[in-house]
Amino acid sequence: MSNPRDRLEREQVYQPAEDSQLLATTVSDEIGPTDRVLEVGTGSGYVAGQIVGKTGATVVATDINPHACRSAAAHPIEVVRTDLADAIKSQFDVVVCNPPYLPTDPDDELDDWMEYALSGGPDGRALVDPLLEELPRLLTDDGRAYLLVSTLTGIDAITERATAFDLQIETIAEEPVPFETLTVLKITLKH
Ligand SMILES: C[S@@+](CC[C@H](N)C(=O)[O-])C[C@H]1O[C@@H](n2cnc3c(N)ncnc32)[C@H](O)[C@@H]1O
């Protein structure tokens, strides 16, 4: 049984759910043992841990939440506490992200770490848009990114934004759940 301190820590970290599982399963089929992988917003480290376990790839993971960073460090990955990927200066074959994507009214925003995990701002794309902008810097020439989003996030708007940054985008997995369809987008650089 966990002690109260561990429980408090766990309550401040997004625990793996259907979205985490869909992303982990989908990307594990797309990654090989020599790939260098960056996971942005790793939370508990579940997705990163699954990637290492299933593919043997090397994974670096970021999160802005210090509790998440501590939790993720239990996996055989390198964890960096940073906003998005600001402290990451190298390039990766694969970038993976299950961002906070729920559209949230500013009046309903809570000031806690779970809000960071869930709220994507008024349009749901507060983290998605800056990540798209960062992908050309983070990806190797033939690199690819996998982004878990939802019909609530506005997939047409993401596609339009990606095109503006010279990125190609395709849907490679979908899973209907109550109130939304979870979607994995594969994003590559246009050549
Ligand atoms: C929906 S959770 C996903 C967690 C985990 N990847 C999973 O699939 O179970 C989103 C994660 O992104 C992190 N996050 C939110 N804003 C961030 C930012 N600006 N920079 C880095 N991580 C961020 C949150 O702390 C949270 O751990």
Side-chain angles (χ1 to χ4, degrees), residues 84-92 132-140 189:
L84 199 63
D86 286 359
I88 304 294
K89 302 300 174 200
S90 53
Q91 291 192 311
F92 292 81
L132 291 175
E133 194 169 350
E134 283 283 71
L135 286 180
R137 173 179 82 79
L138 293 170
L139 287 174
T140 56
L189 306 174

Side-chain angles (χ1 to χ4, degrees), residues 31-46:
I31 293 172
T34 59
D35 282 328
R36 266 176 45 80
V37 179
L38 173 68
E39 186 190 9
V40 175
T42 191
S44 67
Y46 168 82

Side-chain angles (χ1 to χ4, degrees), residues 14-17 19-20 23 39-44 46-47 62-65 68 82-84 98-100 113 116-118 127:
Y14 186 86
Q15 297 302 312
D19 49 357
S20 325
L23 184 63
E39 186 190 9
V40 175
T42 191
S44 67
Y46 168 82
V47 174
T62 74
D63 208 289
I64 198 165
N65 174 354
T82 187
D83 188 354
L84 199 63
N98 175 13
W113 288 115
Y116 272 85
L118 298 171
L127 200 80

Side-chain angles (χ1 to χ4, degrees), residues 8-41:
L8 204 65
E9 181 97 348
R10 193 181 151 89
E11 281 167 7
Q12 301 190 68
V13 178
Y14 186 86
Q15 297 302 312
E18 292 105 322
D19 49 357
S20 325
Q21 279 160 14
L22 178 64
L23 184 63
T25 308
T26 306
V27 301
S28 292
D29 289 340
E30 301 256 330
I31 293 172
T34 59
D35 282 328
R36 266 176 45 80
V37 179
L38 173 68
E39 186 190 9
V40 175

